Amino acid sequence: MKYGKSGKLNYIANMRPVFNRRALFSTASYEYLIPAEPMPYSLVTLRFRTKRNNVDFVILHYNDESVYMKKEKPDDSTEFKEFDYYSTQITVDDKEIEYYFEVRVGRIVCYYDTRGAVDALDELFPFRFIPGFKTPEWAKGAVMYQIYVDRFFNGDKFNDVLTDEYAYIGEHSRRVENWDKYPAQMGVREFYGGDLQGVMDKLDYLQDLGIEAIYFNPLFVSPSNHKYDIQDYDNIDPHFGVILPDTECDEDGHLLNNLEQGDNNNRNARRYRARITSKRNLDASNNLFANLVQECHRRGIKVIIDGVFNHCGSFNKWLDRERIYEGMEGYEPGAYIEKDSPYHSFFMFHDENAFPYNDTYDGWWGHDTLPKLNYEQSVKLQNYILDIARKWLSPPYNVDGWRLDVAADLGFSPEFNHAFWKQFRRAVKETNPEALIIAEHYGNPREWLKGDEWDTVMNYDAFMEPLTWYLTGMQKHSDDFRQDLLNNTEAMYNTIKYHASFFSMPSLMVSMNELSNHDHSRFLTRTNHKVGRMNTLGSEAANEGVNKAVMRNAVMFQFTWAGCPTIYYADEAGQCGFTDPDNRRTYPWGREDHELIDYHREMIRLRKMCPELKKGATKYIDGGYGYLCFARFCSKSQSIILINNSEGEVELSLPVWLAQVPWEGSMTRLICSTPEGHDAEPVTYHIEAGHLKVKLPGTSCALYRFEGMD
């Protein structure tokens, strides 16, 4: 068949372009959902991207409605001419909105949800937003630093817990004289002397590193070094704060006694009782904390504290199992002591006829040192905890948020749990609307992240766990090694997408992304692939055969991914350790790995320099066995992150145009890590036909960036 000239032109004009699924894109970030945190009963703009002149229709489906989206007028003044953008406005009420997109090209139909372009819908993966739900602006993508205070730095030796000062779980407290000693297997009662003055002394270091928020493990009065067994929610522990010399003496000026060998009766621990019940010590400790927060704020550092509200400790003044407070001036009788205690309803007693000294109270997971708090039966307890939440957010303390320990376990029923956290949120946000609420949680958090309870969670399932499996093949406690998950890019990315689907964007942007913490083995130790714990392998094994290059790959991912990269103290200095308690080794002052610290400092600097790394969209670019490439981008700047965790070199032509990088031009490699170390000297790479040709040796990573014109 022959065409005339007009026929050829007509044929060309009506040719349908090849459908480009890879170009399709949308997200719930601020350039595609406008505003990103809409208010109830407002207009919201939703946007969708396609290849230029490539599709017939884009349809938005939200809740039970559908609307054809309009193609925006191209702005050819920009450098990105490869795409069309479709948008539409919808009016929202105060209910959660779920939405996805339908794309039509002739007879071809595909859908787009949080998984990307798909042929079939799945109810688990729509985009969603909650009108009225916003998270603190300061927290979005903030760099956090977790401090386990006893192991960070000893700034005041006079407040150290002393050997034989008191008894806990059948043995006496122990003061550790050697800062570098490995923690004991049952080291709950051994203390290294780290304190708040030590944190104050190291603020220059943290500020120089670039930290934007500190998360403290519990600070309140407690007999353990971890302090998840709270003794007094109203006060900072004087062993972390201030102990005045004259509060340790009797009326004649004689030093109060510690316990004698073989004596575990804390009624006789007169020095301890004086130290932690003295109003002067408690007030001075609270004042020191207030001053520390003020100094942090002066340096631009926020402060988050740990709220352990599911259970307290057997030493707690409300229960007083150890009879610490019995007969003390200014303290009411504990619920263990007397049936008529004002705190009786705070606990569940299984035998109400066992008073006085009733030890039949309910313990969390059966632990009598961790009494379960009985919220359902005590409005007074509920109000007390809500007052505690307000107190530490208010002057003179002014903390910036709460991390909630085992938050889903609070109460005895899910119904009460949700009801109480709604009250808690109201109390927190009324006191400080910019305070952050982070919950410890494993599993699907969606029911708590609907805008009226928690802001976010410690991101185990959509960050720590899949990244650990991918880069090390190890379980996060070092309890298992799986060769099938090591370097399995598809498994990691699909796992992250699945668990991230339970978050709305405001929650995801402030999620706590950690490589290690006080409950899991140190990430650097996981790189040695040793399965076990300190009681099976010994502490020294945690240091053997570690791979710093894999650690740097992890840090690259951590500081370029959506959420709050959170450093567990001393990870940046090369500290190792199996799971609890070996993961609670001291910060190795004087023995730091300075190269690793410098690498963290550079990554933090780049995160602050590149707005797309904090709040930009995220898109998968390329991947295969052992390597992964993704982009973080916004309209004005784009970062491409490449991680090669395999042992072999990769040579790739990366389709950076998918991240709105221009068809031609150049990108700058801002930092690169190899097995030999890292290099932060800028290197220029040329873009060819929307692709970036790169080569990376084994166990390496790099960040490439294009910064467009305003």
Side-chain angles (χ1 to χ4, degrees), residues 407-423:
D409 285 2
L410 184 132
F412 292 98
S413 69
E415 293 76 19
F416 177 82
N417 185 316
H418 288 294
F420 179 80
W421 290 129
K422 287 177 171 64
Q423 292 184 67

Side-chain angles (χ1 to χ4, degrees), residues 576-710:
C576 295
F578 289 118
T579 202
D580 171 24
D582 197 38
N583 54 14
R584 301 169 185 183
R585 298 181 186 184
T586 53
Y587 188 104
W589 301 109
R591 301 182 293 106
E592 307 96 321
D593 185 322
H594 290 286
E595 186 275 332
L596 203 51
I597 291 174
D598 289 343
Y599 182 68
H600 278 81
R601 187 182 292 110
E602 283 296 324
M603 290 306 307
I604 293 171
R605 180 185 67 83
L606 292 174
R607 186 173 182 85
K608 292 181 176 181
M609 183 185 87
C610 307
E612 67 273 15
L613 295 182
K614 280 203 168 190
K615 297 179 66 177
T618 304
K619 183 169 179 59
Y620 180 86
I621 299 297
D622 196 8
Y625 176 79
Y627 76 90
L628 167 70
C629 180
F630 63 93
R632 298 296 309 283
F633 63 99
C634 55
S635 60
K636 296 181 179 179
S637 54
Q638 299 81 34
S639 286
I640 303 295
I641 297 91
L642 176 61
I643 296 172
N644 177 20
N645 201 58
S646 69
E647 295 181 358
E649 179 182 85
V650 293
E651 186 170 359
L652 302 166
S653 179
L654 300 172
V656 296
W657 66 272
L658 292 171
Q660 299 175 184
V661 174
W663 210 245
E664 305 292 339
S666 62
M667 298 189 75
T668 303
R669 192 193 74 189
L670 298 179
I671 192 168
C672 178
S673 165
T674 67
E676 288 71 42
H678 74 277
D679 182 359
E681 285 295 318
V683 178
T684 300
Y685 287 73
H686 294 291
I687 306 165
E688 299 177 6
H691 286 67
L692 191 71
K693 292 183 178 179
V694 298
K695 185 186 295 185
L696 268 185
T699 325
S700 299
C701 58
L703 188 157
Y704 310 87
R705 188 171 193 250
F706 178 87
E707 187 168 11
M709 299 177 63
D710 293 336

Side-chain angles (χ1 to χ4, degrees), residues 92-126:
V92 301
D93 53 21
D94 60 348
K95 303 296 191 298
E96 177 178 300
I97 301 290
E98 292 189 348
Y99 65 100
Y100 62 91
F101 303 93
E102 178 183 341
V103 182
R104 294 185 181 179
V105 184
R107 295 183 179 181
I108 298 173
V109 177
C110 81
Y111 304 96
Y112 197 96
D113 57 22
T114 59
R115 296 169 294 171
V118 293
D119 293 322
L121 294 170
D122 188 312
E123 63 182 9
L124 290 176
F125 298 105

